[in-house]
Amino acid sequence: MKLIDSHIHVTMLPYDGLQAMANGGIKKVISCAVAVGAKHAESYFDHFRQNYNFYRNWADSVGIELYTAVGVHPAGIPDDWTRVVDRLPEFLAEPSVVGLGEIGMNNDTQLERDVLKAQLEVAKATNKPCIIHTPNQNRQAFVNLYFEMAQQVGISPQLLVIDHAMLDIIDQINEFGAVPGITIRQQHVMPEELAENLDRYSGGMLNCDYSNIFNNDPTGVIKAARYLQEQNVDNQTIENLTYNKAAEVFKIGD
Ligand SMILES: [Zn+2]
């Protein structure tokens, strides 16, 4: 099995987690930006570089190709966030930087709206995909708002990966033509739920969203892939969820 994990936070990943991912067949990973509680734009600039320099080499040492998404995460919006947004095109020009993320909202403040809108405009201008976070509450309203903003900006729905998709928003995402990001963990989607609702989830891409903020499992994608195999799900569907969709959206196929 060769797998892509479409959303982790590599700077928080312990070494045994990295090894477990490699041993289980993860070949490529997209690491999303987050600078929790950041006050300064420089926190993001250094974080982006850590991801695509140091941690890209680190992952390469166990045979994992690391790609990076750049952007201002709602959990850390610096006072001078416009400086980050202004320089995103420069970071997006790095060969291993494949999109914007993790962007999105947590509390629906005006500041969060402004930051997201500005980043969607960058995505539109650079024609890059976005990994957009859905919070734990009022999820349908947030997704509606994301789609409203995307339409205002004029960005193609296929460039929007709406992450942490669950049964509450999956139809909304599919109907809009966006891409479901499916996070395999207890508080989101477990392999059993994925298997039982494949007709609705099959257009998505899997990830573990590994961070040290919750109880996460770096092998979530591996476990989901194995479970689908055990359930005799056809290989094409499994490959689409665990490799092809992410390869297509982020242009990281072989
Ligand atoms: Zn995340």
Side-chain angles (χ1 to χ4, degrees):
M1 262 195 309
K2 61 171 190 178
L3 309 168
I4 296 179
D5 191 321
S6 63
H7 177 164
I8 72 161
H9 299 280
V10 74
T11 60
M12 297 185 187
L13 186 67
Y15 191 67
D16 59 359
L18 180 76
Q19 283 179 313
M21 291 176 87
N23 293 340
I26 303 277
K27 299 293 183 205
K28 303 178 190 201
V29 163
I30 297 169
S31 181
C32 289
V34 61
V36 177
K39 295 297 279 178
H40 310 283
E42 276 70 19
S43 299
Y44 276 95
F45 299 148
D46 281 341
H47 178 63
F48 299 157
R49 292 188 198 99
Q50 283 163 356
N51 270 277
Y52 66 68
N53 288 328
F54 180 87
Y55 284 100
R56 183 168 161 81
N57 291 332
W58 184 68
D60 187 59
S61 72
V62 298
I64 291 178
E65 216 173 324
L66 185 86
Y67 296 91
T68 302
V70 293
V72 176
H73 192 291
I77 300 176
D79 297 338
D80 51 353
W81 62 270
T82 57
R83 289 180 55 226
V84 184
V85 173
D86 289 347
R87 286 188 62 189
L88 286 178
E90 182 189 320
F91 287 101
L92 285 162
E94 278 289 320
S96 61
V97 176
V98 294
L100 288 96
E102 178 174 8
I103 60 176
M105 298 169 64
N106 266 327
N107 300 302
D108 194 11
T109 59
Q110 189 59 48
L111 175 64
E112 284 187 353
R113 285 186 186 221
D114 293 346
V115 175
L116 176 58
K117 184 88 177 291
Q119 296 190 96
L120 290 174
E121 279 162 3
V122 172
K124 162 76 179 165
T126 55
N127 199 34
K128 294 284 185 187
C130 304
I131 297 173
I132 307 181
H133 162 89
T134 315
N136 295 328
Q137 78 292 355
N138 303 328
R139 290 161 52 83
Q140 293 173 346
F142 274 103
V143 173
N144 276 335
L145 182 60
Y146 294 163
F147 291 158
E148 219 170 90
M149 283 178 156
Q151 276 173 329
Q152 283 166 7
V153 169
I155 189 169
S156 155
Q158 297 102 303
L159 291 179
L160 306 174
V161 179
I162 304 298
D163 223 315
H164 320 315
M166 296 168 71
L167 292 175
D168 58 344
I169 56 172
I170 188 71
D171 299 330
Q172 226 178 327
I173 298 169
N174 289 334
E175 277 158 28
F176 191 75
V179 182
I182 303 160
T183 303
I184 306 296
R185 64 180 166 205
Q186 198 70 51
Q187 60 271 44
H188 286 104
V189 178
M190 291 301 277
E192 295 77 11
E193 184 192 320
L194 177 66
E196 280 162 25
N197 298 280
L198 267 182
D199 53 329
R200 296 159 79 190
Y201 281 127
S202 62
M205 59 176 78
L206 303 191
N207 64 72
C208 74
D209 186 22
Y210 191 87
S211 77
N212 60 11
I213 298 170
F214 312 104
N215 186 19
N216 288 311
D217 181 356
T219 63
V221 173
I222 298 159
K223 284 177 183 151
R226 287 190 185 145
Y227 184 79
L228 295 179
Q229 282 182 329
E230 284 161 21
Q231 301 303 304
N232 297 315
V233 171
D234 65 286
N235 279 334
Q236 191 62 55
T237 302
I238 300 174
E239 282 171 23
N240 288 348
L241 281 163
T242 59
Y243 194 93
N244 297 337
K245 195 66 188 180
E248 172 201 323
V249 171
F250 295 101
K251 301 190 169 77
I252 56 172
D254 297 324

